[in-house]
Amino acid sequence: MVDFWAAHGFVVIQPTHLDSRTLGIPQSDPRTPRIWRFRVEDMKRILDQLDLLESAVPGLSGRLDRSRIATAGHSFGGQTAGNLLGLRVLNPETGKEEDLSDSRIKAGVLFATAGQGGDSLTPFAAEKMPHLNVSFEHMTKPALVVVGDQDDTPNKYQLTVRGPDWMTDPYFLSPGAESLLTLFGAEHSLGGIAGYEVKETTDENPERVALIQKVTWAYLRHVLDIEQSSWSAVKKTLSETANSIGRIESK
């Protein structure tokens, strides 16, 4: 996804969060319970230091449009993106909902992102991952939500008592989410968007990944007011094509 967006007109900044596998931080690390918050702080720090980042990349100076900033994330990264759009987490330490949104972010794309907490969570998730207790009520920024109708990963890791429809909550429960892309037969990696040759991609499907690339690119150009024809065209194609690999619905 990052390579595609970068090759098609977007400046893409991809952070390495504290819980990245490349850093190897153990679950026993005392910072682990607050990683959900550190991730959001990472994103805000990037926005705070855009001038520094822009100057550090040869040829990039003067090419960043700060009026058109979007956020995107997959799985846990989707919650991070949601926080910036207005999603609120019930802080396990204070018991209060926290507003971590950022006015610099105009829109977002949420891939295979967890749904609401409360009764939807298993006892295991409620105890071990209290940051999954979220509210979508204040997620008012526009967003595209992407889900797989065979995404049983949350059940595999005992996160929810519901099925794949749990991942549609960000669309149905937030006032800002405009559209939902449902991919038929897709599991949690949505055909392989997480990376090249990633082991957890159990549903490898280049055609599906290509569709996601095209749809998200068109949506971002639409929602950031770059041009509208691509988004209109991709929605029309998916609505008219028989036996399509996915569908788009909009509010």
Side-chain angles (χ1 to χ4, degrees), residues 6 14 25 36 70 76 100 112 117 137 140 160 162 167-169 211:
Q14 189 174 26
I25 302 296
W36 67 271
F76 193 9
L100 300 177
E137 179 183 357
T140 57
T160 180
R162 294 162 55 191
M167 301 294 200
T168 67
D169 283 356
L211 174 66

Side-chain angles (χ1 to χ4, degrees), residues 94-166:
T94 65
K96 298 179 180 179
E97 287 186 359
E98 292 206 38
D99 179 9
L100 300 177
S101 61
D102 195 298
S103 61
R104 294 169 290 186
I105 303 289
K106 305 305 180 185
V109 180
L110 276 56
F111 300 97
T113 300
Q116 68 178 350
D119 294 341
S120 293
L121 299 181
T122 63
F124 169 82
E127 178 186 356
K128 301 295 184 180
M129 301 179 180
H131 61 271
L132 291 177
N133 283 299
V134 300
S135 168
F136 294 98
E137 179 183 357
H138 302 282
M139 203 175 96
T140 57
K141 295 287 183 69
L144 168 67
V145 177
V146 184
V147 301
D149 68 357
Q150 299 300 313
D151 185 356
D152 285 319
T153 294
N155 301 79
K156 176 182 177 182
Y157 290 102
Q158 302 178 14
L159 301 184
T160 180
V161 296
R162 294 162 55 191
D165 75 297
W166 188 51

Side-chain angles (χ1 to χ4, degrees), residues 29-188:
D29 188 284
R31 295 168 292 182
T32 296
R34 302 189 74 235
I35 281 178
W36 67 271
R37 187 185 186 97
F38 293 151
R39 282 168 154 258
V40 181
E41 292 173 354
D42 287 343
M43 304 300 286
K44 293 190 175 189
R45 189 170 297 111
I46 287 172
L47 295 179
D48 292 341
Q49 300 295 327
L50 275 181
D51 288 344
L52 177 63
L53 294 172
E54 183 177 4
S55 65
V57 180
L60 187 59
S61 181
R63 299 177 66 190
L64 289 182
D65 186 346
R66 287 163 174 75
S67 69
R68 291 185 168 112
I69 299 177
T71 181
H74 173 250
S75 196
F76 193 9
Q79 178 172 307
T80 302
N83 287 144
L84 294 165
L85 298 172
L87 169 71
R88 295 188 181 181
V89 173
L90 185 66
N91 190 321
E93 298 175 0
T94 65
K96 298 179 180 179
E97 287 186 359
E98 292 206 38
D99 179 9
L100 300 177
S101 61
D102 195 298
S103 61
R104 294 169 290 186
I105 303 289
K106 305 305 180 185
V109 180
L110 276 56
F111 300 97
T113 300
Q116 68 178 350
D119 294 341
S120 293
L121 299 181
T122 63
F124 169 82
E127 178 186 356
K128 301 295 184 180
M129 301 179 180
H131 61 271
L132 291 177
N133 283 299
V134 300
S135 168
F136 294 98
E137 179 183 357
H138 302 282
M139 203 175 96
T140 57
K141 295 287 183 69
L144 168 67
V145 177
V146 184
V147 301
D149 68 357
Q150 299 300 313
D151 185 356
D152 285 319
T153 294
N155 301 79
K156 176 182 177 182
Y157 290 102
Q158 302 178 14
L159 301 184
T160 180
V161 296
R162 294 162 55 191
D165 75 297
W166 188 51
M167 301 294 200
T168 67
D169 283 356
Y171 172 70
F172 288 109
L173 300 181
S174 65
E178 300 178 294
S179 297
L180 173 68
L181 171 62
T182 302
L183 299 157
F184 306 142
E187 299 177 13
H188 196 58

Side-chain angles (χ1 to χ4, degrees), residues 203-222:
D203 63 333
E204 184 176 0
N205 188 315
E207 181 184 8
R208 185 179 296 139
V209 173
L211 174 66
I212 298 170
Q213 290 172 334
K214 182 177 181 179
V215 170
T216 56
W217 174 80
Y219 175 74
L220 288 171
R221 288 174 63 82
H222 149 73

